[in-house]
Amino acid sequence: DVNISSMTEEMSLIHVQYEVFGKVQGVFFRKYTHLQGEKLGLRGWVENTPKGSVRGEMQGPKPAIDSMKHWLRYEGSPKSKIERAVFSEAQEIADYSIAAFSVRR
């Protein structure tokens, strides 16, 4: 019973939008986000915003999304100083709508 629900959780895909605030531009934040997203097998994108934050979207299994959320909030790139990270409500999706994890310039 318990195993079935955790298996379902791992198989179902979710879509989350995020924005990270702090010293996150000019510190290779997008590059490291891209690498971390690929490492976790996620699909999505990341870009700088005109107001100095970094934002993006990600899609993947919930455990990988949860790991990425933690990374975006508490780790980031080595020289970044993250003040806060904001995440949208996770939406279940039937299939990926993003081909890979990319950096938008």
Side-chain angles (χ1 to χ4, degrees), residues 12-71:
S12 66
L13 298 174
I14 58 172
H15 179 110
V16 173
Q17 293 173 304
Y18 61 90
E19 188 165 3
V20 185
F21 300 86
K23 187 185 172 191
V24 292
Q25 289 191 12
V27 291
F28 300 104
F29 199 91
R30 290 176 302 167
K31 179 189 173 182
Y32 278 87
T33 301
H34 173 235
L35 291 171
Q36 186 67 14
E38 284 196 328
K39 191 171 119 184
L40 290 169
L42 297 172
R43 299 186 190 188
W45 55 269
V46 58
E47 70 180 3
N48 286 337
T49 71
K51 62 183 176 187
S53 64
V54 167
R55 71 183 187 113
E57 298 182 32
M58 54 185 170
Q59 299 179 338
K62 189 178 186 305
I65 294 278
D66 288 344
S67 294
M68 188 67 174
K69 284 167 90 168
H70 184 274
W71 187 90

